[in-house]
Amino acid sequence: MTHADKHPGRARGLKPSDFIATAVLLGITIAIPFIAYEQSRGALPDGNLAGTFSFYTAFLVTVGVFALLTLALNIQWGYAGVINFGVLAFFMLGAYVTAVITKGDPQGDFTDYIGGWGDDLNLIPALATNQWLPFVVATAAAAIAAGLLAFLVAFPTLRLREDYLAIATIGIAEVMRRVVIEERWMVNGSRGLTGVPQPLGNIVDQSDYKYLNVVIIGIVVILIFFALERAVRSPWGRVLLGLRDDEEATAASGKNVFAFKTQSFVLGAAIMGVGGSMYAYAFSALSPDAFTHLFATFIFWAMLMVGGSGNNKGAIAGAYVVWGLWTLSLQMQGYELGDLVQSRMPYLRGLLLGVAIVGVLLIRPLGLLPQERRVSAWVERRVKKERSAPAPPAEP
Amino acid sequence: MSSDQRLPILTVENVSKAFGGLQAVDRADLEVAEGSITGLIGPNGAGKTTLFNLVSGFIKPDSGRITFQGERIDGLPPHQVFRRGLVRTFQIPRELGGMTVVENLMLVPGEQAGESLWNAWFMPWRVSDQEDANFTKAEDVLRFLNLHHLRDEYALNLSGGQKKLLELGRTLMCDPKMIMLVEPAAGVNRTLMRDIVNDIKRLRVERGITFFVIEHDMDIVALLCDRLIVMAEGTKLAEGSPDEVRADERVLDAYLGGRGR
Ligand SMILES: Nc1ncnc2c1ncn2[C@@H]1O[C@H](COP(=O)(O)OP(=O)(O)O)[C@@H](O)[C@H]1O
Ligand SMILES: [Mg+2]
């Protein structure tokens, strides 16, 4: 009879691709500050440390926001196998809901939007824009709005085959963009919204806000990461993984497929709403032009694939690596390249990014940090305990 | 109808199902006696798989009634049929490949506290004891099926026969009243299959579980089943003990002259 020491899970040595994965992460971590240093030149002939620090912090702020969206997509696609090609819709909704709740009344002839409750909220001391509470309220509202939208999309489509949801999400994303652009009275159309108040923005200089912001976003990412880990490394997450692997077999195991898919879709969308909210605070300005299908939906798919679908740490790593690669490609614009190249730079950057992503996936098809072997934290602990125990009892 | 004294646990009355113009199940009438091991045989295309899908809720009948333990179950979704104690396996093993073998089994028990997000987040102590109990139970089932050495392996990496066993194991993780098995012997080696036949018989005696089995291997059928139902062209053609069915001219005709063969 075989014994516990034969468990295949245990004999898991390091593979060459583990080193490559580590090298990619390390390489980018080291390269970004260098680029930051280059970029910090500005008026000065050489780079400078303060500029490097500033650039890297701004980079991390963006990575933090994108990590939230990638974590959210991981709950939907990475765990439950629920397709969402319309991340944009929930991201954008969260951002705009946040803006109209925290901003004051519209000012000037060319500004028009609903809401603008910031001024009214200022009448209540705890909800004044120099307090933290209104920002928590606005972020919660963003999460609820995005979650509600997800529920409305999920309800008619999640019972159907999965391609219907894929199509519905593409549709809802395009509708969201169109409505924001065309219906000017709503959120100021293509002119966008500027001057979104920033949480605790009154306590630091505007130009230094990113240093505070990176801490705030860091805390949000950490909180959501742990909340998701706890949700997913449990029997709940096990059902989601079951759905991803085989929906019918999971139904035959007595699980209500529709209920669990809806939960994953709505929870993921709510987190996308939070991501949108953090985006609004970080950049303080929203424009529908920024929410393209590429940069508000598909980049998160790329981040999830590269980082590791079904692993929350992987989602964060993917956001870091892919945004890092994109930022590195920015550097190409700094060189004296022929007009032929220069005029095509945006496309070349896209191409290079694509090649890099395909490269990572060829070496590491499951992403830099693949899914953990055991889903449930309880099972993980139990197996660990058993292994650290003295010699296993011989089987009869 | 049943020549036994035992009451039917499952009754299929006048059930039909068409796919486009093709009448896959055609006014089928049959019963499975409680505590029996009933085999369902018939030529390819007879409608056996479709009948199983109808009973387990994966497809809805066009007409007719399906009753399990006196309650109608036709039209219920699969997870609700499961909750009534009627569980099934699939013809092609449907393992959850990206999960370990033990967690494939731990998925199954119903009403797990940890399946609610609320409990997973805020009431971990409610989840903890259940997880321990389910883990222990899963290990027992794995030992029973001689799969314990693969406990932490991804289900994806199992052989065809091992996947079949895992399917069977899944049905043992809840306390079913009736288990529907689809070709349990396919891909499983002979010696192991004999063990499984004995295990099934033991489960029937010890836990009173009824079995309803589609199986092509007539040796296994003869060894396992106490009653056989023969389907052809979407409906029941004959019924009886394995010996009676084997002697039945109509059954032979159906196999030799039936469509699809
Ligand atoms: N989903 C389906 N769509 C169309 N035809 C089907 C479908 N499922 C089964 N059939 C047809 O129904 C008939 C009965 O099939 P099936 O129930 O698989 O028979 P068996 O399991 O006895 O071989 C066959 O002619 C088959 O081609
Ligand atoms: Mg069949």
Side-chain angles (χ1 to χ4, degrees), chain A residues 1-2 7-9 227 230-231 234-236 238-239 241-242 244-246 248-256 260 263 267 371-376 378-379 382-383 386-387 395, chain B residues 58 78-79 82-83 88 90 94 96-100 102-103 106-110 112 114-117 120-121 124 127-128 131-132 135-136 139 146 148-149 151-154 170:
Chain A
M1 277 279 109
T2 48
H7 291 317
R230 200 163 165 131
S234 76
W236 186 77
R238 198 154 57 208
V239 177
L241 275 185
R244 186 195 65 184
D245 282 354
D246 190 328
E248 286 202 334
T250 309
S253 300
K255 309 305 171 200
N256 186 341
F260 282 99
Q263 287 174 34
L267 178 65
Q371 187 199 314
E372 306 268 358
R373 181 171 286 259
R374 291 173 202 84
V375 192
S376 155
W378 285 271
V379 174
R382 183 136 169 190
V383 172
E386 182 185 291
R387 280 178 190 172
E395 273 176 46
Chain B
F58 279 85
H79 69 273
F82 174 95
R83 282 185 198 162
R88 69 165 297 178
F90 294 94
R94 305 285 285 266
L96 305 169
M99 244 191 266
T100 60
V102 71
E103 287 199 89
M106 290 177 72
L107 173 81
V108 178
Q112 296 185 40
E115 284 176 6
S116 121
L117 264 180
W121 271 326
V127 185
S128 183
E131 281 287 277
D132 272 336
F135 187 88
T136 307
E139 285 204 300
N146 274 324
H148 191 264
H149 58 293
R151 187 188 73 180
D152 295 326
E153 187 52 81
Y154 284 118
R170 252 199 339 236

Side-chain angles (χ1 to χ4, degrees), chain A residues 242 245-255, chain B residues 58 82 87-97 99-110 137-138 141-142 145 147 155 162-176 179 181 207:
Chain A
D245 282 354
D246 190 328
E247 214 175 289
E248 286 202 334
T250 309
S253 300
K255 309 305 171 200
Chain B
F58 279 85
F82 174 95
V87 306
R88 69 165 297 178
T89 66
F90 294 94
Q91 182 153 11
I92 299 159
R94 305 285 285 266
E95 81 288 352
L96 305 169
M99 244 191 266
T100 60
V101 166
V102 71
E103 287 199 89
N104 262 262
L105 296 182
M106 290 177 72
L107 173 81
V108 178
K137 187 166 186 178
V141 169
L142 290 175
L145 298 171
L147 287 178
Q162 289 166 336
K163 286 178 183 171
K164 276 250 119 117
L165 291 178
L166 185 59
E167 287 263 289
L168 180 62
R170 252 199 339 236
T171 65
L172 300 179
M173 282 301 291
C174 47
D175 287 308
I179 301 178
L181 299 174
R207 296 205 220 157

Side-chain angles (χ1 to χ4, degrees), chain A residues 51-86:
Chain A
T52 306
F53 200 53
S54 160
F55 184 92
Y56 194 60
T57 306
F59 167 76
L60 284 183
V61 165
T62 310
V63 166
V65 172
F66 287 0
L68 289 174
L69 286 136
T70 312
L71 281 168
L73 186 61
N74 192 29
I75 279 291
Q76 298 177 338
W77 169 252
Y79 280 96
V82 172
I83 292 183
N84 184 353
F85 287 150

Side-chain angles (χ1 to χ4, degrees), chain B residues 43-50 91 182-183 214 216:
Chain B
N44 267 329
K48 305 181 294 293
T49 306
T50 307
Q91 182 153 11
V182 182
E183 294 180 28
I214 298 179
H216 286 302

